[in-house]
Amino acid sequence: SHWVHLYPHNPTKVQKKEIRNITMAPTTTNYLDDDRFDGLYLNIANQTQGIEPLLDTVFSFLRRKSDFFAGPTGSSNGKDDAGTEAAIAKVNEVLKKHADIYLRDKRRKEEVELEKKKKKEKQLRRNEEEAPKKKAGQEEDVIELGEDGGFDISNNRSSTENDKNAKSSDGTTVTRRSAGESSSVKSTADEAGGEQDNAEEEEDDSPPPLGNGGTVPGKYTWTQTLAELSVTIPLPPNTRAKDLKVVMSKKHLKVSLKNNDHHENAPQIDAPLTKPIILDDSFWTIEDSSRLVLTLQKSNQMEWWDAVCEGDPTINLQKIVPENSNLSDLDGETRQTVEKMMYDQRQKALGLPTAEEQKKFDILEKFKAAHPEMDFSNAKIS
């Protein structure tokens, strides 16, 4: 098996006598999963652009630079091509070895995937069986967004009619209804967090803003949801993308048309945004070759905007008509945030500490327990 000799380029007679052996027999080194030469082969594969040319380079090297195809010493047995047959047999042996490894690994992967599929199907069947039981004893909480963009909370009604409506110190009205009913709490706190002037509310009988947005005369119209804004700018007919220059940043927006000389005209919008946006998720399109639509993703997707750009007319946030949403419709992170807000509002309504206040209290109690020698009787904790 020690038959392959590697020759230098144009070897001399002395070099031929000093050739070194390349053993084809198994060694202590495991080359089956050796990745040391991956970079070299990737480079060759990238240049040869095909499996046959790649293999050609390997066998061309063995043919030109070694006596691999001559076969091991004494393998001719009087036949001229016996050595070559031995070389082909060795190649087939190595090829079959790697083919067997591939098929073994493939079967293992298929078995793992099949096992995962069985477990998934089993879990789905279990969930389907348990769903009716959960639904029978479960009340789905419906959350209505308050007029200022805050989340309303639902609660079960107690025995007395007076418990239906309770007012917290921050002006939040809590409505409680019996189980199974959709219940909501509408926030009446104004933007400053103080109490609203009911007389002014009665005087303001204007309709809610269309699409919870507004119109900037001569510039654009806009609508919004809690997650994003949509700004529509009218354009001259047959406007193309190359006729526009739109520059969006986290806190600034600029939109301008180019003239026939491809120079910018006076920008239609060039102002700071009232609140930051997520630039990677914001984009713009041209619709019907006559209007530009900007979709701006809000950084804070838990608040309403009263205007798109600073200096533009604002809308009355108290007139916004929020959409109802179910807890089950929200993603995990948003649902967790909403549940925390609901808990804090309920705690405030009952005169109890919020989650953050309770956390600070627990930390203080642990500190007291760890330092009994200290007197906290006159300590003021904020």
Side-chain angles (χ1 to χ4, degrees):
S1 57
H2 297 260
W3 88 76
V4 179
H5 302 127
L6 185 63
Y7 295 109
H9 183 66
N10 297 325
T12 64
K13 292 182 179 180
V14 175
Q15 288 175 322
K16 284 185 177 181
K17 292 180 180 180
E18 296 177 351
I19 56 177
R20 60 186 179 90
N21 293 333
I22 300 178
T23 178
M24 301 300 291
T27 65
T28 55
T29 303
N30 179 18
Y31 291 99
L32 294 177
D33 297 304
D34 194 342
D35 60 359
R36 291 177 297 166
F37 311 109
D38 287 357
L40 174 63
Y41 284 118
L42 285 172
N43 186 34
I44 297 174
N46 187 48
Q47 295 185 48
T48 55
Q49 297 292 317
I51 186 62
E52 186 172 342
L54 174 63
L55 294 175
D56 280 341
T57 61
V58 175
F59 291 114
S60 171
F61 170 78
L62 292 175
R63 173 175 53 81
R64 293 179 296 102
K65 296 297 182 179
S66 75
D67 58 357
F68 172 73
F69 289 101
T73 305
S75 62
S76 60
N77 294 327
K79 295 176 61 178
D80 294 338
D81 57 354
T84 304
E85 290 177 357
I88 294 174
K90 175 58 70 174
V91 171
N92 289 334
E93 178 187 336
V94 175
L95 180 62
K96 186 178 186 307
K97 176 172 61 177
H98 284 275
D100 291 342
I101 294 173
Y102 166 77
L103 293 174
R104 182 195 65 197
D105 293 343
K106 181 182 177 183
R107 283 192 295 269
R108 287 180 180 175
K109 289 180 181 178
E110 290 174 349
E111 290 172 359
V112 171
E113 290 298 325
L114 182 61
E115 187 65 24
K116 287 182 180 179
K117 186 177 179 181
K118 288 181 179 179
K119 288 182 179 180
K120 187 175 181 180
E121 291 175 350
K122 185 177 180 181
Q123 185 63 38
L124 286 174
R125 287 195 299 269
R126 185 182 302 169
N127 292 343
E128 290 175 357
E129 292 172 358
E130 294 178 356
K133 299 177 183 178
K134 290 183 179 180
K135 189 174 181 180
Q138 181 181 13
E139 174 187 354
E140 185 174 25
D141 295 327
V142 178
I143 304 165
E144 185 175 312
L145 297 176
E147 294 176 352
D148 65 345
F151 282 88
D152 302 330
I153 59 175
S154 56
N155 212 353
N156 292 334
R157 181 168 53 188
S158 301
S159 56
T160 64
E161 187 69 18
N162 291 334
D163 278 345
K164 281 185 178 180
N165 297 310
K167 249 186 185 180
S168 68
S169 59
D170 63 352
T172 303
T173 301
V174 182
T175 303
R176 299 184 177 91
R177 298 189 183 184
S178 58
E181 292 183 317
S182 297
S183 58
S184 64
V185 176
K186 293 187 176 180
S187 173
T188 59
D190 59 12
E191 292 180 49
E195 295 183 355
Q196 290 184 338
D197 189 344
N198 294 331
E200 289 182 3
E201 272 191 4
E202 292 176 1
E203 291 176 4
D204 185 7
D205 57 354
S206 59
L210 185 63
N212 293 329
T215 299
V216 180
K219 290 187 176 181
Y220 61 86
T221 59
W222 65 284
T223 60
Q224 68 173 319
T225 64
L226 269 176
E228 64 184 25
L229 289 92
S230 179
V231 181
T232 302
I233 304 173
L235 299 172
N238 302 319
T239 300
R240 296 165 297 179
K242 66 179 184 179
D243 300 326
L244 290 170
K245 183 173 183 180
V246 181
V247 181
M248 292 187 292
S249 65
K250 186 177 181 181
K251 281 284 293 178
H252 196 276
L253 177 63
K254 181 180 180 180
V255 178
S256 57
L257 273 168
K258 298 178 182 177
N259 55 30
N260 294 333
D261 297 328
H262 300 287
H263 293 101
E264 289 184 47
N265 293 323
Q268 292 180 265
I269 302 176
D270 187 7
L273 297 168
T274 56
K275 300 180 187 296
I277 62 172
I278 303 174
L279 191 58
D280 290 343
D281 295 334
S282 302
F283 57 92
W284 59 274
T285 58
I286 296 178
E287 296 184 355
D288 299 330
S289 300
S290 61
R291 60 180 181 272
L292 172 67
V293 179
L294 305 167
T295 301
L296 308 179
Q297 200 75 17
K298 298 178 180 179
S299 287
N300 185 351
Q301 301 186 355
M302 305 292 286
E303 65 179 355
W304 300 101
W305 289 26
D306 60 358
V308 178
C309 295
E310 294 180 4
D312 287 341
T314 60
I315 63 171
N316 185 355
L317 293 180
Q318 304 302 321
K319 290 290 183 177
I320 281 182
V321 181
E323 65 272 18
N324 290 336
S325 60
N326 296 330
L327 277 177
S328 57
D329 296 335
L330 305 176
D331 60 78
E333 184 178 353
T334 305
R335 178 169 181 167
Q336 186 177 7
T337 302
V338 172
E339 288 176 340
K340 181 180 180 298
M341 294 174 65
M342 292 171 60
Y343 174 80
D344 289 346
Q345 286 189 0
R346 186 178 294 114
Q347 290 293 95
K348 287 182 179 180
L350 299 174
L352 298 173
T354 63
E356 190 66 27
E357 292 169 345
Q358 184 65 45
K359 183 179 178 181
K360 291 179 181 179
F361 178 79
D362 293 341
I363 293 174
L364 179 61
E365 289 301 310
K366 288 182 179 179
F367 186 79
K368 286 182 180 180
H371 300 276
E373 73 281 0
M374 299 178 69
D375 182 14
F376 292 89
S377 59
N378 296 322
K380 293 183 180 180
I381 309 299
S382 58

